[in-house]
Amino acid sequence: MASMIHRLQRIVQEVNRAPGIDGALVLITKSLTRDLAADACTIFLASKDNPEVMILKACSGLNPDIIGRVERSMGQGLIGTIAARAEALNLTNAPEHKKFLLVPDSGEVDFPIMLGVPIIAHRHVLGVISVQRAENAFNEDEEAFLTTLAVQLATSIERAESQGRFSTPQQTHLVKGVAGAPGMAIGVAMVLNRGVKLESVPDKKTTDIDAELSSFQEAVSTVCSELIEQAEKMRVALPEEECALFLAYAQMLSGGSLIDDTVKNIAAGNWAPSSWRDTVEQHAHVFSQMEDPYLAERANDIRDLGLRVLRKLMLGQGAFLDFPDQTILVGDDVTATDLADVPTDCLSGIISAHGSSSSHVAILAHALGIPAVMGVPNLPVKQLDGVKLVVDGYNGSAFINPDKLVLDEYNQYLKEEAAIEQDLIGLKNEPTITTDKHPVSLMVNSGLMSGHTPSLRSGAEGVGLYRTEIPFQIRDRFPSEEEQFQIYRNVLETFKGMPVVLRTLDVGGDKPLSYFPIHEANPFLGWRGVRITLDHPEIFVTQVRAMIRANRGLNNLEILLPMISGKAELDDSLILINRVRDEIEEEYGEQIRLPKIGAMIEVPSAVYQIEHICELVDFVSIGTNDLTQYLLAVDRNNENVAELYSSMHPAVLKAIYQIVEGAAKNETPVSVCGELAGDPLGVMALLGMGIDNLSMSVGSLLRAKKVIISFSHAELIEMLQRALEMPDAFLIREMYACKLDERGLGGLIRAGK
Ligand code: PEP
Ligand code: MG
């Protein structure tokens, strides 16, 4: 058994290392012929132009002239039968099988024993591998071996094939991922890191030590000034704390052992890049060995910084400042700080091989109005630098090397989108009211941006969800009561006279705190949100104190409790909040009004206890992002199951309806603050349920308003009743999308009008 795993691993590693698909396939056929003591091996792969046709791509033990010449459609011959049935065939006499089709001049007549298995990835048959022998049937172990190999190779082949396709970069190619942030862009790819890696720096000796020293010092000081400049620029879009990261990097370059050790290496006769590489690696290694996970994580910061300086050293100054006017940032895993590398007026789009719509970078892109496509499997990142791209953030796809047809189509879409935007801007001072005069309150979700001006300018009536965890996440320790007070006061003051819903700390799950590491097998089902803060009342109390103090004299604060799964958590939270209020009352010697307290309904158990919950709170806010993930058992961040994740699923809509009905018994106000509230189709469904308070990202606000003023409440109620009868999310979305189209509003949910 061990040797089987070993052999499998070796083949997969060989394939992954092969530079292109052809080399990879040849390797597989050779290894299989050897490892299974077979006489021949063939690999057929689905044609790029017609996936219903399998083409012979590689063989060993047969006449090589047949490669590329043999084709099998679905169900045709044994290969076509394996592909059509998507199951293995193990035959002791293949020519006797009724589907057998001889490949003339191949030499296969000599090998009647045949074992073939399909290669399947993401439900698609990518090809068929078969092995043949003159004698000795393939036994069960061998069949199991080939099946296991095919499963493992499916991913490698998918990737190798996808990258092989780009050996002719002129071809237009569509890649699909997950919609990260809406919008469209046409631009030129800028690949992060551009292949410059610390580990690939070669060793070299130098005789001109002074020249190496001065190029190193120049690179360091350029990076240093760039970091300070970036911190300044990002201040407009990001909170102070996030900018502090750039300043901390700059500090590390201003002196200390990182610089001194490199200088020593250069003085010993090594060229600057390898001297720098060695110092960075040594420092990063020391940190990575530390037990404390926070310190161990700092190894990545050092490597990140190391890469920045290396880029300057290797490519010369200015190379990385040459951004195309319409830059599409492309990377394996684009992060929020990567955005800082691109001047804001050049950044047009983002494509990341990993991540999802809930990734920090996607939320930031959404807030900045930049389209993003996330989680694109097999994105040929290395081959994209400088390549023209079309990004479609509505449906999560991108065209690589778009041809004239695609470009014309998207240029037309962009024109139409500009016209839609123009039309929407005119709505900002209009009342949000349906055609039959039903008023709706539109609020913004915040927490990420320091400046609240865009929210106010968009006509928001308050903040429906302030995610306080973001200021916690970008620090390297818990923020003090005073620091929190300043943050909360700022938002409460900006929205003076309007409600501001501050949510208590919701960390855990996919929102880690580097300085409070939690290791769990199932983080989404573990220690999250209010479960943590109730176990750590010191964190909760400090936060609520800062909130209530910040509210003095303004009285527009509302407190929202995340991840409530039962009555006990609410009871405990209310005891603490009341205690804090009493303390502050005593400290300041004035009467302090208790702010309105709400519970987030985002855990299915809360849906079934809605009436009891409503007895304890002033309002409830539905977190459709988590409610969807928990009801459908679909990880909201996992690109493999992204297609199953839909907040318009009938089960989710029914749960929301149940919340609305339950809350109505107690006359408790209901709002929605998950992404569904900003989705034009979601807006239609939620209004139909009688929800009239929606909180969303600022970029969605005017689109939502356009939808609301275009329909009557009565017709939305009627549509909802039909939606609740439907069996799946696709049909429900289709119905609402058709209604939007009928009103000429299709451009709100997709590229083009
Ligand atoms: C939600 O779960 O819908 C929500 C608004 O909270 P978050 O996305 O921050 O988990
Ligand atoms: Mg949530």
Side-chain angles (χ1 to χ4, degrees):
M1 196 62 188
S3 85
M4 177 163 154
I5 290 174
H6 190 74
R7 277 185 291 163
L8 280 171
Q9 278 174 345
R10 185 175 35 74
I11 297 179
V12 173
Q13 274 165 10
E14 276 173 4
V15 170
N16 287 342
R17 259 189 252 123
I21 179 137
D22 295 336
L25 297 181
V26 170
L27 272 171
I28 300 168
T29 56
K30 284 197 177 140
S31 305
L32 275 176
T33 317
R34 185 186 58 223
D35 286 341
L36 288 177
D39 295 307
C41 175
T42 60
I43 298 182
F44 283 74
L45 289 188
S47 154
K48 273 177 254 169
D49 307 320
N50 180 2
E52 298 287 298
V53 174
M54 302 280 141
I55 303 172
L56 179 69
K57 288 287 188 181
C59 69
S60 92
L62 298 178
N63 175 5
D65 291 345
I66 59 171
I67 293 174
R69 300 220 183 121
V70 187
E71 290 188 4
R72 293 287 180 260
S73 54
M74 285 289 168
Q76 186 190 23
L78 293 175
I79 297 296
T81 305
I82 294 167
R85 289 202 209 147
E87 65 184 26
L89 268 185
N90 190 351
L91 305 171
T92 46
N93 194 345
E96 271 184 0
H97 193 284
K98 63 177 190 300
K99 288 284 192 174
F100 179 76
L101 253 187
L102 182 77
V103 179
D105 305 325
S106 62
E108 70 166 341
V109 270
D110 298 333
F111 312 128
I113 294 163
M114 180 209 177
L115 166 65
V117 299
I119 308 166
I120 303 176
H122 296 110
R123 298 189 187 191
H124 295 296
V125 177
L126 302 181
V128 173
I129 313 185
S130 82
V131 279
Q132 286 167 265
R133 271 188 200 145
E135 46 197 34
N136 295 332
F138 289 100
N139 63 28
E140 270 184 22
D141 282 351
E142 288 166 324
E143 188 176 329
F145 176 85
L146 198 61
T147 307
T148 316
L149 181 71
V151 171
Q152 296 201 9
L153 283 179
T155 321
S156 308
I157 289 182
E158 206 183 24
R159 188 179 323 120
E161 192 192 24
S162 154
Q163 293 178 356
R165 281 176 183 163
F166 296 99
S167 48
T168 49
Q170 280 73 27
Q171 253 180 323
T172 300
H173 188 75
L174 173 70
V175 288
K176 287 216 51 94
V178 182
M184 292 163 288
I186 300 175
V188 176
M190 172 67 86
V191 176
L192 295 168
N193 301 340
R194 299 227 224 165
V196 182
K197 287 189 187 149
L198 283 165
E199 58 271 27
S200 54
V201 173
D203 288 332
K204 262 192 210 175
K205 290 284 174 197
T206 181
T207 44
D208 195 347
I209 290 175
D210 286 345
E212 289 302 308
L213 276 178
S214 81
S215 79
F216 172 61
Q217 268 142 9
E218 208 169 318
V220 167
S221 80
T222 314
V223 172
C224 213
S225 348
E226 273 177 23
L227 286 165
I228 294 169
E229 220 175 275
Q230 277 172 350
E232 279 309 313
K233 262 192 265 161
M234 292 307 280
R235 209 159 258 148
V236 187
L238 287 177
E240 193 63 33
E241 306 78 40
E242 200 139 318
C243 304
L245 179 72
F246 297 99
L247 296 177
Y249 277 7
Q251 184 71 29
M252 283 157 87
L253 291 180
S254 323
S257 57
L258 214 48
I259 304 298
D260 296 348
D261 292 356
T262 310
V263 169
K264 271 188 217 145
N265 279 346
I266 297 174
N270 299 301
W271 76 317
S274 68
S275 305
W276 175 244
R277 174 203 66 196
D278 289 349
T279 318
V280 169
E281 282 304 344
Q282 278 156 13
H283 281 70
H285 181 71
V286 172
F287 275 100
S288 65
Q289 296 301 304
M290 293 189 177
E291 289 245 315
D292 178 341
Y294 171 70
L295 290 176
E297 183 56 29
R298 301 283 69 74
N300 287 335
D301 289 349
I302 291 178
R303 290 207 180 91
D304 184 14
L305 188 60
L307 203 58
R308 279 168 186 263
V309 174
L310 183 72
R311 286 173 183 172
K312 282 281 173 290
L313 275 174
M314 300 290 278
L315 297 172
Q317 288 188 26
F320 269 81
L321 300 176
D322 192 13
F323 285 97
D325 286 346
Q326 310 277 320
T327 298
I328 312 283
L329 202 54
V330 176
D332 263 328
D333 210 344
V334 179
T335 65
T337 49
D338 289 330
L339 299 196
D341 277 341
V342 189
T344 25
D345 51 343
C346 296
L347 184 60
S348 300
I350 295 164
I351 308 181
S352 179
H354 294 287
S356 70
S357 57
S358 317
S359 305
H360 196 168
V361 66
I363 296 174
L364 185 58
H366 201 149
L368 295 172
I370 294 164
V373 176
M374 308 293 293
V376 183
N378 307 316
L379 186 69
V381 174
K382 283 196 202 112
Q383 292 160 56
L384 290 184
D385 199 46
V387 170
K388 194 157 199 164
L389 298 175
V390 167
V391 180
D392 187 335
Y394 289 110
N395 67 9
S397 64
F399 285 92
I400 297 170
N401 281 310
D403 55 20
K404 185 169 174 316
L405 223 67
V406 173
L407 283 175
D408 286 351
E409 188 179 339
Y410 273 86
N411 272 316
Q412 179 60 26
Y413 289 159
L414 284 167
K415 264 195 218 142
E416 291 171 6
E417 175 132 305
I420 293 173
E421 290 298 330
Q422 203 48 43
D423 175 39
L424 290 177
I425 288 169
L427 293 180
K428 66 175 192 284
N429 297 321
E430 295 293 313
T432 313
I433 190 160
T434 58
T435 55
D436 51 357
K437 307 275 182 279
H438 182 79
V440 180
S441 295
L442 296 186
M443 322 274 276
V444 283
N445 288 353
S446 182
L448 189 70
M449 315 281 281
S450 60
H452 302 291
T453 337
S455 311
L456 280 172
R457 282 212 206 107
S458 68
E461 293 172 44
V463 177
L465 169 67
Y466 186 94
R467 292 179 162 101
T468 60
E469 55 275 10
I470 296 173
F472 279 71
Q473 279 183 289
I474 56 185
R475 282 187 164 71
D476 55 9
R477 56 175 170 75
F478 283 106
S480 66
E481 182 182 322
E482 206 46 42
E483 282 171 315
Q484 292 188 55
F485 169 83
Q486 294 299 344
I487 296 167
Y488 306 151
R489 182 79 190 175
N490 177 294
V491 53
L492 289 167
E493 245 168 11
T494 311
F495 287 87
K496 199 169 168 180
M498 304 181 201
V500 172
V501 181
L502 298 185
R503 180 172 72 182
T504 61
L505 192 61
D506 183 21
V507 289
D510 62 328
K511 298 179 213 163
L513 287 183
S514 56
Y515 47 91
F516 186 59
I518 302 166
H519 300 290
E520 293 176 319
N522 290 304
F524 275 120
L525 301 182
W527 215 28
R528 252 202 93 174
V530 80
R531 300 173 182 183
I532 294 184
T533 48
L534 286 178
D535 286 351
H536 277 278
E538 75 284 18
I539 299 172
F540 188 79
V541 163
T542 306
Q543 181 168 41
V544 174
R545 276 186 60 88
M547 288 178 179
I548 295 184
R549 280 181 49 218
N551 191 35
R552 286 178 58 230
L554 292 170
N555 282 324
N556 55 342
L557 165 70
E558 300 184 7
I559 295 179
L560 182 60
L561 301 161
M563 281 295 288
I564 293 293
S565 63
K567 184 174 167 295
E569 287 155 343
L570 267 180
D571 287 333
D572 294 346
S573 305
L574 289 170
I575 290 172
L576 290 173
I577 296 173
N578 275 293
R579 208 179 77 196
V580 169
R581 192 269 314 262
D582 296 347
E583 266 171 32
I584 296 179
E585 215 164 46
E586 203 170 305
E587 270 169 48
Y588 288 87
E590 66 185 39
Q591 212 190 347
I592 302 279
R593 208 168 48 191
L594 194 67
K596 283 188 182 160
I597 313 284
M600 279 201 78
I601 308 297
E602 51 184 346
V603 177
S605 60
V607 177
Y608 299 103
Q609 299 174 84
I610 190 68
E611 289 166 42
H612 292 301
I613 289 175
C614 286
E615 281 164 14
L616 296 173
V617 293
D618 303 300
F619 67 99
V620 291
S621 186
I622 307 175
T624 51
N625 305 340
D626 277 313
L627 188 59
T628 305
Q629 114 160 318
Y630 291 126
L631 270 177
L632 304 185
V634 176
D635 179 344
R636 62 192 263 191
N637 290 313
N638 183 342
E639 59 249 30
N640 287 331
V641 287
E643 281 190 26
L644 295 175
Y645 183 97
S646 172
S647 296
M648 294 289 271
H649 190 287
V652 180
L653 294 185
K654 282 181 180 151
I656 300 174
Y657 200 44
Q658 190 165 338
I659 299 167
V660 173
E661 288 186 321
K665 291 192 185 143
N666 206 46
E667 293 183 17
T668 305
V670 177
S671 58
V672 176
C673 62
E675 291 300 306
L676 188 65
D679 171 352
L681 306 183
V683 169
M684 295 169 76
L686 295 171
L687 255 66
M689 297 198 196
I691 295 173
D692 48 24
N693 187 318
L694 303 174
S695 190
M696 62 198 71
S697 129
V698 60
S700 308
L701 205 125
L702 292 176
R703 285 165 186 262
K705 189 183 276 194
K706 181 77 185 174
V707 173
I708 295 166
I709 62 171
S710 306
F711 288 91
S712 74
H713 196 216
E715 62 187 327
L716 292 172
I717 292 172
E718 191 264 320
M719 274 180 228
L720 180 84
Q721 292 312 321
R722 267 193 285 148
L724 291 175
E725 300 288 310
M726 292 182 171
D728 68 49
F730 177 78
L731 290 174
I732 297 177
R733 289 194 74 88
E734 276 288 300
M735 182 205 43
Y736 281 114
C738 281
K739 293 287 175 189
L740 264 193
D741 273 328
E742 277 171 21
R743 299 283 145 102
L745 300 177
L748 296 178
I749 51 164
R750 69 175 82 90
K753 272 196 172 168

